[in-house]
Amino acid sequence: MKCLSSMVRLLVLALSLSAGHALANITYTFSGATFSDGGTLIGNFTTNDPRTSLLDYNITTSAGAGGIGLNYTTANSESTPTSLPFILVLDAPNVVSAANILQVTFTNLTAAGSPITLGTFSSFEQHAQGNARRDITAGSVVAGVAGVPEPETYAMLLAGLGLLGFIARRRINKVA
């Protein structure tokens, strides 16, 4: 019985050591972002776990007093030189040249759930019409992580359930 107990402990230890850290994409949501002309910026974007690559985005700017509002998505615009985790730069939808751009700077994108301050006056939207530029004067983004378990986590779960089933079966056979 002691041999079985020792083997079970070793198995549990080995499985717990082999379980890796779950990597997950991080989705950031804009909160309270406003432009100098009264327009707003809403939406979200997704980065990889180390926050070095932009994976997806859906960001909308309202017209404000400037009269122009745009929707930036992965389907209708391109990501231009983005230096995550500090700067996000997107070109305007369906525009051949990068004359219309959105640049948002951050103090530092983190995976924590606390708000990340936007860099005011270094975050802006530039429009080709009359070289109109409007600065972001306030706002933040908040990170939300949807964790995806690694395969080792499932293996450890199944091994634990199998072990519990084995122990329960032994107890039933012992009683009978």
Side-chain angles (χ1 to χ4, degrees), residues 15-168:
L15 287 173
S16 66
L17 291 176
S18 69
H21 169 68
L23 296 177
N25 297 336
I26 304 170
T27 299
Y28 295 91
T29 304
F30 287 100
S31 174
T34 56
F35 288 102
S36 53
D37 68 351
T40 60
L41 177 121
I42 60 170
N44 56 53
F45 62 96
T46 304
T47 68
N48 60 349
D49 191 40
R51 297 172 303 281
T52 56
S53 295
L54 182 63
L55 303 177
D56 190 26
Y57 51 93
N58 186 0
I59 300 170
T60 302
T61 60
S62 68
I68 299 174
L70 297 170
N71 182 248
Y72 301 85
T73 66
T74 49
N76 71 3
S77 61
E78 294 180 16
S79 171
T80 54
T82 295
S83 299
L84 292 174
F86 301 104
I87 302 172
L88 172 67
V89 180
L90 304 172
D91 73 345
N94 302 319
V95 177
V96 177
S97 68
N100 296 327
I101 61 168
L102 173 67
Q103 175 177 308
V104 183
T105 60
F106 312 99
T107 49
N108 186 11
L109 291 178
T110 61
S114 60
I116 301 154
T117 306
L118 299 181
T120 56
F121 300 106
S122 58
S123 297
F124 60 88
E125 186 173 45
Q126 180 76 40
H127 297 291
Q129 295 177 346
N131 286 332
R133 173 186 161 136
R134 54 191 196 157
D135 295 315
I136 292 178
T137 56
S140 64
V141 293
V142 179
V145 178
V148 179
E150 294 292 321
E152 293 88 359
T153 305
Y154 289 119
M156 189 168 66
L157 174 67
L158 288 174
L161 290 174
L163 180 63
L164 288 174
F166 174 74
I167 291 170

Side-chain angles (χ1 to χ4, degrees), residues 1-16 154-172:
M1 188 66 159
K2 286 186 177 185
C3 182
L4 179 63
S5 176
S6 296
M7 288 180 62
V8 168
R9 287 181 187 154
L10 284 174
L11 178 65
V12 169
L13 178 63
L15 287 173
S16 66
Y154 289 119
M156 189 168 66
L157 174 67
L158 288 174
L161 290 174
L163 180 63
L164 288 174
F166 174 74
I167 291 170
R169 185 176 178 101
R170 278 186 56 111
R171 285 187 180 171
I172 290 172

